[in-house]
Amino acid sequence: MFIRELKQPVSRLKGIGDAAVKSLSSMEIFSVSDLLLHYPFRYEDRLNPVPLVYGRSDKTVNTTALVTGHEFFGWGHKKALKVHIQDDTDSAVLLCFGRNFLKDKLPVGQEIRIYGQFQFKFNELQSGTFDFEPVGEGESDLFDKILPVYHLSGSLTQKNLRKAIAQALREYAIAVNDEMNIPLYQKYHFLSKEEALKGIHFPASEETLRQARATLIYEELFHLQLVIGRRALKQHSLERESRTIPAMLQESLREKLPFKLTGDQEKVLEEIREDMESSRAMCRLVQGDVGSGKTLVAFMAALPVIEQGRQAAFMAPTELLARQHAENGARLLSGLGVRIAFLTGNINAENRKHLLEELKDGQIDLIVGTHALFTEDVVFKDLALAIVDEQHRFGVKQRLALLSKGSHPDLLLMTATPIPRTLALTAFGDLDVSTIKTMPAGRKVIETHLARIGNEQKVYDFVRNELRSGRQAYFVYPLIQQSEKMDLKDAESMYHHLENDVFPDFKVGMIHSKIDEDTKEHTMKAFVARDLDILVATSVVEVGVDVPNATIMVIEHAERFGLSALHQLRGRVGRGEHQSYNFLLYSPELTEEGKKRIMVMKENSDGFVISEEDLKLRGPGELTGVRQSGYLKLRIADFSRDADVLVRARDDVKELLKNDPGFLKPENRNLREMFAKAPPYSDDLLASG
Ligand code: ADP
Ligand code: MG
């Protein structure tokens, strides 16, 4: 019954007439509960005195002063009233433009409460915008409190919104139940929901405000984690027998490698092993910066599966990358008796048929490929592990399509676009996350240099020197072909220009998405074999391409690329023993945001920092690729600011669901109704990403 009361329309409140209803509805506030959840976006502290002398700084004055005189300034009927005031610390004037009637309200000798921003100008301390009230007129609406300030729209004023919210709190807040479990309130000294709502709107003290905020921020993240936690529970409920995983093939590969695995690679492999041995299917995301050696981890992870006589699939988003993985795999695993196959959409019908038969018979241990892997006619004998590289390039459906080829196979997702920790816990909250932070030993930090387009000659000269000493270079462009609409350099024109005019002594090749796969493959092979010195490309080389002798990445019109693309592109170099360089050439007409992105690249090399910056510049929705607008729009919590609260809420929810899997389930919820409108709490939304 209480719930229904909270759903009363706002028009039930005093002072909320038709115009106000309309203005409120444009902010999606329809019911009393919506209104109660319209939190202030800032506060004015009219509690703690700030005497006049502080008006000389940028502090807002909040004091009691005496009116000491009047004066008019200006000419003719445009003359404006100036009221002189004084407190214990200083004297000042109030400029009453267009409000000469204030003369009567502010008689000389009157004591007033005053709140406003002052400036020291023309040799006096003055304010043109201020609130005031005569002292001694009973309880005040405007003074001696921390005053909430709300987002407004249409005809609304702070005054009538404050009034309506105050009434809603008086009459309805008692209907609000607490929405977390009781031990949490005790553990964190949270306020009850009723107190928290009162405290967030009309805090009696700074301490109350702090407590109210802490309560509501935590509560919001708690509910978000609850949805995620319940999803994870569903996913993990598909139990199987726990088992021991063999390690012989992994050992053989370790011995074969010319280098040692990094500590983080070993740590991740250990986590993967534990998952594989556990009684529920693995669902793990491995994130590691470009060049941190994820591919090797993927192959290592496949080995125990193969050793058991079962099958693994390794899916990559582009044919270029899939082919590279297949070739690397063949090289790495040669001599271990692993049977590898490569499947793309581009293989001829007869070969395809043959390959699919082998796969079905279990004659193939590891299949590497593109989207082609989950087409319908692909049947495995016993798919036990699905690996998805650059997972953010695939949708949930595609992941599931691959998984459906086995019976509860383990899932290993890899990403080189590091997900900020906070997002990993939310949009990706149903995954376990492993992180590779350390780079293989001996890597040098890539030097990043900026140059304006127009000054590219110097860059080209530098590149020529590097090429002479045997290195190779990438040149990347935002367009494939010339465009009439955009005045940008394009790959095809630049390919000819670089080959004929700039680097006539060197061999130049080109790849982009309009070139057919065979030619692409041929060009890539030539680049790997150092038959080509320069590879002109679009962002197709962004993912995965691994040519350690290439040490130069020139990106022209760098302002046209997103941060994660730039970081990925830069990650194509710095993969070997030689010092590498990244040149970001920008057009003089670049936007503020373009400029910021380029500066972020110049100043940072850590992919995690870059993706946090990306999050700040773009907002989280876009980053996770979640379509629905408003997703992850939180009322009061903030993913970057409240990251540690999020972590706490996640851990608490995990613990809670362990003991009480039905906690606040939709069917047992009471006041979760209040959150019906809150966007993040839908399972479908969380499924994307
Ligand atoms: P990414 O994480 O971007 O997928 P890759 O798996 O392509 O990185 O690895 C980048 C390069 O580092 C490859 O040439 C790979 O052989 C090499 N590599 C991987 N692990 C190590 C290691 N532990 N020590 C030295 N080199 C390594
Ligand atoms: Mg990779």
Side-chain angles (χ1 to χ4, degrees), residues 344-605:
T344 70
N346 265 327
I347 144 178
N348 75 35
E350 200 181 326
N351 285 343
R352 180 185 174 91
K353 189 162 162 253
H354 183 67
L355 195 153
L356 291 184
E357 266 163 22
E358 287 190 329
L359 190 65
K360 196 172 163 186
D361 287 351
Q363 291 171 49
I364 291 172
D365 304 311
L366 171 60
I367 188 157
V368 181
T370 57
H371 298 76
L373 286 183
F374 57 74
T375 43
E376 215 167 306
D377 57 345
V378 177
V379 180
F380 289 79
K381 177 158 187 257
D382 182 14
L383 177 67
L385 171 66
I387 303 168
V388 181
D389 196 21
E390 308 291 339
Q391 74 91 23
H392 58 288
R393 301 219 159 189
F394 294 94
V396 177
K397 276 206 188 116
Q398 299 174 312
R399 261 156 39 185
L400 292 178
L402 183 60
L403 284 179
S404 71
K405 306 255 172 215
S407 91
H408 310 312
D410 284 322
L411 176 63
L412 185 61
L413 306 169
M414 326 277 283
T415 186
T417 301
I419 295 153
R421 177 162 166 68
T422 45
L423 274 179
L425 293 173
T426 51
F428 297 86
D430 55 343
L431 301 179
D432 296 309
V433 180
S434 293
T435 305
I436 304 182
K437 278 222 179 78
T438 48
M439 288 286 173
R443 293 275 171 82
K444 299 196 176 76
V445 174
I446 302 165
E447 280 183 28
T448 298
H449 299 281
L450 312 184
R452 255 164 79 125
I453 290 181
N455 295 341
E456 56 269 67
Q457 213 47 53
K458 273 192 218 149
V459 175
Y460 294 174
D461 290 344
F462 186 93
V463 173
R464 193 172 298 113
N465 263 330
E466 283 291 297
L467 296 180
R468 283 206 182 112
S469 57
R471 305 285 82 75
Q472 291 163 286
Y474 299 96
F475 277 77
V476 175
Y477 298 89
L479 297 179
I480 295 176
Q481 282 152 340
Q482 219 164 0
S483 152
E484 283 175 8
K485 288 192 209 102
M486 284 176 284
D487 188 19
L488 297 174
K489 296 192 189 185
D490 63 280
E492 292 203 332
S493 317
M494 286 306 291
Y495 166 63
H496 294 295
H497 176 58
L498 293 174
E499 181 173 47
N500 302 325
D501 312 330
V502 188
F503 301 107
D505 307 342
F506 294 99
K507 285 187 230 98
V508 185
M510 170 169 64
I511 55 168
H512 56 65
S513 58
K514 286 200 179 145
I515 290 178
D516 68 86
E517 291 298 338
D518 287 345
T519 316
K520 248 196 247 173
E521 184 193 343
H522 184 81
T523 305
M524 223 31 236
K525 277 206 172 118
F527 192 62
V528 171
R530 304 196 193 180
D531 291 338
L532 292 174
D533 303 293
I534 293 176
L535 190 63
V536 173
T538 57
S539 57
V540 283
V541 290
E542 178 187 320
V543 276
V545 174
D546 185 30
V547 182
N549 188 52
T551 56
I552 299 206
M553 169 59 70
V554 180
I555 306 172
E556 301 216 40
H557 291 293
E559 75 279 0
R560 307 289 303 190
F561 295 86
L563 266 180
S564 80
L566 288 173
H567 180 63
Q568 283 276 337
L569 285 169
R570 181 166 62 186
R572 293 314 107 214
V573 297
R575 306 187 139 242
E577 55 192 306
H578 303 287
Q579 177 61 50
S580 290
Y581 305 89
N582 176 215
F583 294 96
L584 301 174
L585 302 186
Y586 58 90
S587 141
E589 304 111 47
L590 84 180
T591 61
E592 265 314 300
E593 210 188 304
K595 199 185 282 171
K596 274 193 200 134
R597 285 199 298 266
I598 290 176
M599 286 318 290
V600 169
M601 289 301 292
K602 163 93 182 136
E603 283 159 14
N604 298 283
S605 57

Side-chain angles (χ1 to χ4, degrees), residues 259-262 265 289-296 440 443 544 546 548 575:
F259 46 72
K260 270 184 69 167
L261 294 187
T262 63
Q265 283 172 319
D289 211 342
V290 282
S292 61
K294 294 180 296 294
T295 317
L296 187 58
R443 293 275 171 82
D546 185 30
R575 306 187 139 242

Side-chain angles (χ1 to χ4, degrees), residues 299-311:
F299 285 122
M300 284 291 265
L303 290 176
V305 168
I306 296 165
E307 195 171 338
Q308 289 171 298
R310 308 184 68 194
Q311 292 171 303

Side-chain angles (χ1 to χ4, degrees), residues 67-79:
V67 178
T68 56
H70 294 154
E71 174 188 344
F72 283 90
F73 67 106
W75 293 271
H77 49 248
K78 286 236 178 99
K79 273 191 175 164

